[in-house]
Amino acid sequence: MTLTRIRERRRESLYAVAFVLPATIGFVAFYLVPTVRGVWLSFTDYDLFSAGEFVGAENYAKIVDDHVFWNALLVTLEYVVVNIGLQTAVALLLAVLMQRLARSVVIRGILLVPYMVSGVVVALLWQWLLDYQIGIVNNALDFVGLPRQSFFGDPALAIVTVALINVWKSMGYTALLLFAGLQAIPRDVYEAAAIDGASEAKQFWRVSLPLLRPVLALVLIVSLIGSFQIFDTIAVTTKGGPVNATRVIYYYIYDLAFNRYDFGYASAIALVLFVILLGVTLVQLRLTRADKSDLA
Amino acid sequence: MKWRKGAVVATAALAAAGLLAGCGSSGSDSDSAAGGKVDLSYWLWDANQQPGYQRCAEAFTAANPNISVTVKQYGWDDYWSSITTGLVSGTAPDVFTNHASYFPTFVEKHQIQPIDDEVKSENVDLAAYQKGLPELWVGTDGKRYGLPKDNGVVGLYVNDGLLKDAGKSAADLADLTWNPSDGGTFEKLIAHLTVDKAGKRGGEAGFNKGEVAVYGLGLNGAGDGAGESIWAQYALSNGWDYYSGEAAKPHFNYDDPKFQDTLTWFKGLSDKGFMPSLKIATSGVGMQQTYGAGKYAMTTDGVWSAKSYFELKDVKTTVAPLPTGPTGRQSTANSLGDAVTATTKHPAEAKKLLVFLGSKECQTIIGQAGVVLPAMTSATEDAKATFQKSGIDIAPFLAPTTHTTPVVPQWADAMAIFQPAMQAFLNGQAGADSFTKVNEQINALYQ
């Protein structure tokens, strides 16, 4: 290697460091430090106002007997299954429709509108639409002779309602990601399939879906983590009720930390959630082989 | 190439500076020391009350030219997390409106400052306030932290149109009676004001409780352990009280049959179709909006909401006193009070402001603003006159004997036990006797 090349290399890496530095500072200040601090807090009785004292694994022992925590975990899972399952299915359908039928940019744009609206506004909007007595949805049900439903007040319906609201909000965005994945599949594969006599449905199952797998895996992982973090819709509409029917894990953590000032215990639960999410993501990566494409 | 390097360094420096600026900005500790001028920040959550307190702040500055006050309003949902994080990060206001349910915790955690010395030096007359209200702001350590500002009592809001449709008039509302076994004339009125889809009234033969068009009485959720404006007025007028013993170490009485009988009657209203079930009432928008849409003939609500009711476009409202129970006509009373934060850089000026906001001068301004009832007895007449101008007769709110709502330590922990239990009870998942166990769990917090 010549001297000039070495110099050039050195200069290049200097630039690289300079460009990466702002993001690194952000990562350290807003992710790494809080995470390490959170781990420490989970072993203390920190109450926000006074420095906490080390209490060992006491907070973690408390989790074992905390039926509200286990219920929160269950409710969160219920939410994630309904939310992600439906959202992915609907988004996939929309993505295929966008690719095969709706070439209009306007229509593609409209699908994204709910995603652009803030979560709180979406929650307020549906709170009015779904109101038992004066909401337009229940009035429509009543008009066609179906019984009114207390979407937010019925323990059996509340979490499903919240999940569906977020399907409505996010499906356009998910569909757009999947649509981009579909666009990346070469035309000639479809042409070959068509020549072989494959129907539209067969092309979807045999060509689109397998080749979309890496994108689908990425979308699943990203939206799954986001789904576990459900908070805003619940903070606006049900506040964890009725009873504990929508007390999802994030809302429980928030309630413990900011209403009851039990930061140490809240940190311990947050850490348990972190470990669960890490496990889910690893399993998902394995199962979906997200780093490998079948397009080779 | 040189300029590029410069740009990179500048970008990195800017980013770093941004980070530092983000951490260092602050709302309260403006550079006020310059020239002996002090700028205090004051926070409140009720937008309706902001104009009144803005005027009080101006009056305070007029009397103390070297102290200016910036009044800021945040909605209830953001308010408490802003106060809490502000106290930790040092960006909390100097003075803020406090709520009785948060007060004991702030005292316990030493986040607000006692004002006993100022009360003494400024000769504050505690007897000038409505009975019971000044005691709300004495901490479990015996020190005073605030002064009462309003008198939060409860009354009956009645939809005038629906009342007339039922062939009743305001005169029929004046002397309602209540008891936990058959609900007295109050329940008869609720039933009569309830109308099903076919037009049958509650209590009439053929009334369909599954298809109610207008409920006689609205329901504002399950509420917390104070039951303020929801069930407390009935339980209190049944001879019940929240707790016995001292506020620092209360023994709650949710196991008392007087409480449980009252709740059984209360839920019975839903079962009979005269009041929405909790499922219906909490599925969507709030009680006031539903009342405004003509779906509730009556509601029980605080005087602090009077303005909202009378501003409704499609509904004309009459106010009536709460019914008289076995032990008289009783209402909860609550009062907001101010607090001086532990983090303030100007404690003397902040305490001066607090005392002024509870003084006769500010109470008179609040009375004239006609949004809430002032806590000071002498300012009540001003408020009456202002409310009267907007067509609101607030005399019915002053009819009951009052009980202050509980101000005890660990309220949030107690409520984490109580609230799900109350929701389960109103949803029919548990009986009224389930509160005996709830009571044991809550009292265990104070052992």
Side-chain angles (χ1 to χ4, degrees), chain A residues 67-68 71 155 239-247 252 255 260, chain B residues 222-225 278 411-431 434-435 438 441-442:
Chain A
H67 75 275
V68 181
N71 179 67
K239 301 209 159 39
V243 194
N244 287 320
T246 59
R247 200 169 304 276
Y252 187 45
D255 191 39
R260 297 162 68 183
Chain B
D224 65 6
L278 185 68
W411 182 247
D413 291 321
M415 287 314 101
I417 301 168
F418 186 91
Q419 280 168 322
M422 183 53 97
Q423 291 171 7
F425 166 71
L426 289 177
N427 268 344
Q429 293 160 262
S434 64
F435 285 97
V438 167
Q441 289 173 329
I442 291 176

Side-chain angles (χ1 to χ4, degrees), chain B residues 78-96:
Chain B
D78 303 320
Y79 187 79
W80 296 103
S81 46
S82 303
I83 293 277
T84 306
T85 50
L87 286 169
V88 177
S89 63
T91 58
D94 301 289
V95 185
F96 70 95

Side-chain angles (χ1 to χ4, degrees), chain A residues 53-184:
Chain A
E53 269 175 44
F54 183 75
V55 294
E58 200 180 278
N59 288 326
Y60 291 93
K62 208 157 100 187
I63 290 179
V64 179
D65 294 323
D66 185 354
H67 75 275
V68 181
F69 166 80
W70 294 107
N71 179 67
L73 207 58
L74 204 71
V75 171
T76 310
L77 274 179
E78 204 179 320
Y79 170 84
V80 169
V81 168
V82 177
N83 178 239
I84 294 299
L86 222 63
Q87 184 172 304
T88 313
V90 175
L92 201 56
L93 182 73
L94 285 176
V96 171
L97 288 179
M98 273 200 270
Q99 199 198 15
R100 311 299 280 179
L101 295 172
R103 293 284 149 95
S104 152
V105 180
V106 177
I107 292 181
R108 289 173 185 171
I110 286 173
L111 278 174
L112 262 183
V113 170
Y115 186 73
M116 313 282 238
V117 182
S118 104
V120 172
V121 175
V122 167
L124 285 171
L125 174 76
W126 283 99
Q127 198 171 20
W128 279 95
L129 289 173
L130 296 177
D131 183 85
Y132 186 93
Q133 292 169 91
I134 59 177
I136 194 165
V137 173
N138 267 314
N139 278 320
L141 285 179
D142 203 28
F143 184 75
V144 298
L146 291 169
R148 287 173 185 262
Q149 300 294 328
S150 57
F151 291 103
F152 294 108
D154 189 333
L157 284 180
I159 196 70
V160 178
T161 304
V162 174
L164 290 179
I165 291 172
N166 283 300
V167 168
W168 177 81
K169 177 173 155 51
S170 306
M171 64 186 182
Y173 179 68
T174 313
L176 196 74
L177 293 177
L178 296 178
F179 171 66
L182 285 176
Q183 295 283 72

Side-chain angles (χ1 to χ4, degrees), chain B residues 56-71:
Chain B
C56 283
E58 283 155 18
F60 178 72
T61 304
N64 304 278
N66 60 338
I67 313 176
S68 58
V69 182
T70 310
V71 180

Side-chain angles (χ1 to χ4, degrees), chain A residues 11 15 18 22 25 30 47-49 127-128 131-134 142 150-153 155 241-243 258-261, chain B residues 8 19 84 88 105 109 111 197 215 279-280 283-285 289-290 293 295-296 412-413 416 420 423-424 427 429:
Chain A
R11 192 191 286 162
Y15 280 133
I25 293 172
F30 297 115
D47 68 355
L48 203 64
F49 296 121
Q127 198 171 20
W128 279 95
D131 183 85
Y132 186 93
Q133 292 169 91
I134 59 177
D142 203 28
S150 57
F151 291 103
F152 294 108
V243 194
F258 288 97
N259 288 332
R260 297 162 68 183
Y261 303 117
Chain B
V8 167
L19 281 176
T84 306
V88 177
T105 310
K109 312 273 184 203
Q111 294 304 306
K197 261 171 89 179
Y215 287 99
K279 276 184 197 171
I280 292 174
S283 194
V285 299
Q289 285 100 327
T290 315
K295 299 290 178 186
Y296 296 152
D413 291 321
Q423 291 171 7
N427 268 344
Q429 293 160 262

